[in-house]
Structure formats: C-alpha cells, structure tokens
Amino acid sequence: GAPLGLALGSIRCATADTCLLTTSDGRLIRTVDGAASGTVITAASVPLKGAAFASATRAVGIGDAGQTVVSNDAGVNYTPVGGDLTGSFTRLRPGPGAATAFAPGARGRIALTTDGGASWRAIAVATSSAIADTSWSDAKTGYALDARGGVFRTQNAGASWQTLSAGPGAAA
C-alpha cells in the first residue's frame, strides 16, 4: 500500500526523509521520516493537486483554479501568491531555473511561472488532449506528453509547438 495508508496523488522530496505528499482528495501531508508518519498541513483554501521542493527550505504547492502557495520553512507554513488561473491542472513540475515551475493541465494547457509562483500564465500545446506531463531543459525549450501519447516540443517558450514522431510504426 501507499505510505501512511493514503491514496496518494503525488510525492516530492527535499531529502530521503523530508517529503511533501498530496492525496487524491487534495490534502497535503508533510513527512520527516520517509513517510512512516506525517502531518496534515493546511496550506491553501482549496484542495492541492501537487507540491514540490524548489530547495531544502522552499516549497511550492498548486491547487484548484491555479491557487499557488509557497513555503520558506521546508513546507511547514505557507503563504498564498499570485491569482486564480482558469482551467484544471494536475501536477507541479520544477522548471530549469529556481523561480520556474510548470503545471500540466486539461485541454492541452500548461500553466507556468517564472517568478517563483507570484504570477502564472497558461500556454497552449498543439493538442486538445490533457497534458500528462511536461519537462523543460531551459526557458525556451520544453516538451509535453499528452494523455494519448503524443509528444510535443517548443523551442520558443511555448509560442508554438511541434509534434514529434517516434518513427514509422512506432508508438510515441
């Protein structure tokens, strides 16, 4: 079963023992003993979809409507930042820089911040499917994987996207 006996949505760790877990119902759990036990943290006024560490002391969480919270004490206390972002976003991924993060979402959208979560904007990938995951090697070059297995690349910070092919007869 899952650590702590919960239905987990995500887990991200700063160390082997200090981790943030989100549950399928949007609760945030902080553990300092490798998930043998945990503390429920009330970080936001909405259910959280994901949380991650940007460093050993800085953590960021994202919830419904793009509500973003940040912690500067290793995930114990949180402060809301930014405003609402319409749409549904499912997880939080760190970006290539300390102040960047990405949140893949429904209908081909990715939310992104370049200022540590103080503001967010959404970019559209060339698909109507949900974005399952995203990864960025630098501020301009990013990849997106949609729920149908389509793979896309941008080289201009999301202004346009190319569909990548796995080759003849191969699945993405």
Side-chain angles (χ1 to χ4, degrees), residues 102 108-110 112 121-126 134 136 138-144 153-162:
F102 298 89
R109 294 180 42 164
I110 299 173
L112 69 102
R121 68 180 178 93
I123 55 176
V125 180
T134 188
W136 294 67
D138 59 48
K140 292 186 178 194
T141 308
Y143 296 87
R153 177 180 63 208
T154 182
Q155 293 178 297
N156 55 13
S160 63
W161 292 83
Q162 294 176 305

Side-chain angles (χ1 to χ4, degrees), residues 39-130:
T39 303
V40 176
I41 304 288
T42 303
S45 60
V46 299
L48 290 181
K49 301 297 185 186
F53 284 97
S55 71
T57 57
R58 183 137 169 108
V60 179
I62 189 164
D64 288 347
Q67 187 176 70
T68 306
V69 292
V70 297
S71 168
N72 288 310
D73 60 4
V76 176
N77 297 293
Y78 289 81
T79 303
V81 295
D84 284 351
L85 184 65
T86 59
S88 174
F89 301 92
T90 56
R91 60 184 61 202
L92 190 62
R93 292 292 184 234
T100 60
F102 298 89
R107 295 187 307 274
R109 294 180 42 164
I110 299 173
L112 69 102
T113 181
T114 57
D115 57 10
S119 64
W120 287 84
R121 68 180 178 93
I123 55 176
V125 180
T127 179
S128 60
S129 230

